[in-house]
């Protein structure tokens, strides 16, 4: 992305009266119009509302008002965030035609900062997946190679940024759904500390894991967007009361003396050799920039995948009970209420969502609860303890984001386990609730982007972004 198309520079130009927001938004809409047929990053483009919002921003600037740090900047939202009066599908037939009566807190904060929502992006149904192929409306494609997946579940948001349609997008990350598509599309994707960004108005998948976060072309833009959306919200009972750290002010601090740990368990089996080589090169680059690098063990991380695929489906089976044909979207009529609910859910949910509901219901059922759900929760605690021990020795951890570069469409759709393996590197910090970011770092043997993941202790987003900025600065071009 060239200097004058970053969110920071666009907002500066609009606030200073050098560019009109209307012109910025028209350029963005034209790019989507020209390019999205090949990618299917968007499910809905809100062109008219975007034009009206941009005109209002221009009027405010003309009147001497400051519309905020994202004045006139186009932003795309993953279609599991509620937008008042605008279809919110979660990539599912069961929500087709449903328009939320309110905006998610992040949507309100974007508007208050002057950003312009241009549309809703494609995703795996209810954010369950790693390739966007589980969308009921057809897959998205990777702008770097359209025969490949963009990753998922926030694949539409990652593709929209990678294609240059928008400088900013929001995704949601439950087990890796911001970071993995960011890595596969060659953009920056950040999962904040659990509780840092309000979940109010995010359609729930697994409530103890879900977090909204930025997908952007640069680390500086991710920092800017993070500062806008983060902060306490009384509408989310798990929202953190702490003030938002000024991550943007520390991007140029450098990594002199920063203690960096390469996670031993995430560099071996299951990680493609070219991805492991890039990750080690990233560690070398940080060392070169003054960081102190060592290998650090997080032994329980290897159990993350197993624990996640019990906890996340368990929570999903409960959260998705609300889609019953009565309250939202689709209803398939039948003689009795019970038959109506069964018919609606049978028709409305796709195969992966049904699989998760069944897995979760089983894991929570009397007689199996202790063996599955209860055990998974204890493993989750072990992982958090291992991270805490690692963070006694180092300030941040480094690992691959995804075990491979972007794979061809259709490659893993017949094998759920192969698809689940995509999240092996991102799930551990989802379970511990700690922040993490994926930064592009060169390409694999196939010429496709590799993402390197930085992880940090809860609330340590300043160090996280510092390390990310240093990685970005030293990444091979
Ligand atoms: N791919 C993982 C899953 O299918 C993670 C999804 C996510 O983070 N929303 O559950």
């Amino acid at each position: 992305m060239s200097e004058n198309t970053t969110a920071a520079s666009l907002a500066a130009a609009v606030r200073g009266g050098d560019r009109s927001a209307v012109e910025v938004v028209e350029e963005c809409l034209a790019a989507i119009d020209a390019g999205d047929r090949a990618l299917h990053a968007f499910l809905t483009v809100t062109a008219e509302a975007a034009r009206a919002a941009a005109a209002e921003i221009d009027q405010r600037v003309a009147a001497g008002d400051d519309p905020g740090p994202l004045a006139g900047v186009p932003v795309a939202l993953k279609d599991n965030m509620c937008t008042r009066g605008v279809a919110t599908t979660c990539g599912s037939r069961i929500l087709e035609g449903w328009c939320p009566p309110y905006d998610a807190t992040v949507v309100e904060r974007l508007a208050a900062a002057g950003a312009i929502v241009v549309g809703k992006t494609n995703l795996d149904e209810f954010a369950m997946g790693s390739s966007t192929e589980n969308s009921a409306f057809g897959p998205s494609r990777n702008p770097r190679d359209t025969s490949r997946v963009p990753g998922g579940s926030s694949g539409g948001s990652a593709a929209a940024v990678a294609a240059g349609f928008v400088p900013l997008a929001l995704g949601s990350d439950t087990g890796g759904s911001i970071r993995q598509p960011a890595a596969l599309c060659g953009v920056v994707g950040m999962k904040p500390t659990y509780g840092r960004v309000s979940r109010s108005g995010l359609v729930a998948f697994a409530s103890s894991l879900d977090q909204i976060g930025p997908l952007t072309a640069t680390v500086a833009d991710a920092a800017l967007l993070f500062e806008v959306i983060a902060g306490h919200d009384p509408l989310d009972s798990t929202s953190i009361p702490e003030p938002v750290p000024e991550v943007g002010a520390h991007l140029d601090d450098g990594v002199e003396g920063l203690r960096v740990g390469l996670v031993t368990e995430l560099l071996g089996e299951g990680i493609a050799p070219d991805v492991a080589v890039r990750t080690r090169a990233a560690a070398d680059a940080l060392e070169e920039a003054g960081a102190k690098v060592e290998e650090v063990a997080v032994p329980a991380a290897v159990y993350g995948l197993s624990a996640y695929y019990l906890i996340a489906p368990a929570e999903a089976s409960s959260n998705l009970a609300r889609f019953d044909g009565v309250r939202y979207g689709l209803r398939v009529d039948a003689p009795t209420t019970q038959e109506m609910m069964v018919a609606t859910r049978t028709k409305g949910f796709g195969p992966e969502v049904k699989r998760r509901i069944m897995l979760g219901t089983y894991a929570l059922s009397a007689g199996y609860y202790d063996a599955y759900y209860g055990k998974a929760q204890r493993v989750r605690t072990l992982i958090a303890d291992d991270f805490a021990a690692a963070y006694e020795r180092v300030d941040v951890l480094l690992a691959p984001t995804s075990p491979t570069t972007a794979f061809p469409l259709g490659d893993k759709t017949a094998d759920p386990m192969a698809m689940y393996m995509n999240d092996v590197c991102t799930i551990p910090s989802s379970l511990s609730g700690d922040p993490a970011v994926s930064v592009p770092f060169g390409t694999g043997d196939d010429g496709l982007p590799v993402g390197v993941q930085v992880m940090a202790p809860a609330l340590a987003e300043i160090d996280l972004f510092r390390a990310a900025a240093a990685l970005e600065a030293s990444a091979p071009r």
Side-chain angles (χ1 to χ4, degrees):
M1 181 152 288
S2 68
E3 264 299 293
N4 55 7
T5 51
T6 64
S9 61
L10 284 175
V14 170
R15 286 165 109 176
D18 300 324
R19 289 201 69 183
S20 88
V22 167
E23 174 194 313
V24 171
V25 163
E26 287 301 345
E27 271 178 22
C28 162
L29 293 172
I32 296 170
D33 208 42
D36 202 39
R37 210 178 299 267
L39 300 177
H40 195 220
F42 283 90
L43 293 176
T44 307
V45 177
T46 51
E48 284 322 305
R51 288 188 174 107
E56 202 185 306
I57 295 287
D58 285 336
Q59 279 161 16
R60 287 177 58 190
V61 173
D65 204 13
D66 181 2
L70 296 179
V73 180
V75 55
L77 305 173
K78 185 178 184 178
D79 204 20
N80 60 353
M81 296 171 207
C82 288
T83 41
R84 183 154 51 99
V86 175
T88 298
T89 67
C90 293
S92 182
R93 295 273 172 214
I94 211 158
L95 277 175
E96 237 182 331
W98 178 65
C99 292
Y102 68 101
D103 279 326
T105 295
V106 289
V107 175
E108 287 179 347
R109 290 194 178 174
L110 284 171
I116 314 280
V117 172
V118 295
K120 309 290 295 284
T121 59
N122 199 12
L123 68 158
D124 289 295
E125 188 175 1
F126 285 102
M128 297 172 188
S130 309
S131 69
T132 321
E133 291 167 298
N134 293 336
S135 169
F137 306 109
S140 300
R141 287 169 184 273
N142 192 317
R144 316 274 171 191
D145 175 348
T146 54
S147 71
R148 310 271 170 152
V149 302
S153 63
S154 312
S157 284
V161 172
F165 296 160
V166 284
L168 305 177
L170 289 182
S172 68
D173 191 311
T174 302
S177 279
I178 292 173
R179 293 163 282 163
Q180 184 259 14
L184 269 48
C185 289
V187 300
V188 176
M190 187 251 178
K191 180 193 85 82
T193 303
Y194 181 79
R196 187 67 103 174
V197 174
S198 173
R199 290 182 294 109
S200 176
L202 171 68
V203 179
F205 164 10
S207 308
S208 77
L209 296 156
D210 298 340
Q211 264 302 281
I212 293 173
L215 288 128
T216 58
T218 67
V219 171
D221 275 356
L224 182 60
L225 183 50
F226 167 78
E227 287 186 19
V228 166
I229 60 171
H232 183 250
D233 178 13
L235 296 177
D236 173 357
S237 63
T238 58
S239 175
I240 296 171
E242 269 74 11
V244 179
E246 292 183 359
V247 292
H250 292 277
L251 292 179
D252 297 328
D253 285 4
V255 290
E256 187 70 51
L258 193 76
R259 297 168 306 160
V260 177
L262 255 177
V263 181
T264 309
E265 289 77 9
L266 300 178
L267 280 169
E269 202 196 328
I271 309 300
D274 54 341
V275 171
V277 164
R278 277 295 172 219
T279 308
R280 290 187 186 279
D284 292 345
L286 289 182
E287 190 155 48
E288 189 86 350
K292 291 193 219 114
V293 180
E294 59 175 308
E295 274 209 24
V296 171
V298 185
V302 299
Y303 305 119
L305 201 74
S306 315
Y308 173 89
Y309 276 98
L310 289 163
I311 293 168
E315 295 187 25
S317 70
S318 164
N319 275 325
L320 271 57
R322 62 174 62 103
F323 304 108
D324 56 5
V326 176
R327 287 172 283 190
Y328 310 91
L330 183 75
R331 173 181 302 171
V332 179
D333 284 321
T336 67
T337 306
Q338 168 125 14
E339 287 166 297
M340 179 280 287
M341 287 179 177
V342 171
T344 299
R345 288 166 68 84
T346 301
K347 179 146 189 264
F349 289 136
E352 183 60 29
V353 173
K354 286 176 182 158
R355 184 177 296 120
R356 304 288 177 107
I357 291 172
M358 286 188 283
L359 276 172
T361 306
Y362 184 77
L364 289 174
S365 59
Y368 294 104
Y369 184 98
D370 290 336
Y372 293 110
Y373 183 74
K375 190 70 148 282
Q377 290 289 29
R378 287 197 288 278
V379 170
R380 183 175 189 173
T381 302
L382 286 181
I383 292 171
D385 289 350
D386 279 1
F387 270 120
Y391 290 131
E392 303 246 308
R393 299 184 50 175
V394 296
D395 301 304
V396 298
L397 291 168
L398 218 57
T401 303
S402 162
T404 66
T405 57
F407 46 91
L409 271 92
D411 223 27
K412 302 187 181 180
T413 40
D415 183 354
M417 266 306 288
M419 195 65 92
Y420 297 170
M421 291 301 289
N422 277 290
D423 307 308
V424 66
C425 302
T426 47
I427 277 173
S429 53
S430 291
L431 290 169
S432 66
D434 299 333
V437 59
S438 179
V439 180
F441 200 85
T443 52
D445 293 346
D446 52 11
L448 290 164
V450 169
V452 169
Q453 186 182 200
V454 185
M455 297 170 267
L459 305 181
E461 278 100 351
I462 288 180
D463 280 349
L464 184 81
F465 273 105
R466 254 176 85 195
L471 266 189
E472 179 181 56
S474 59
R477 271 162 235 277

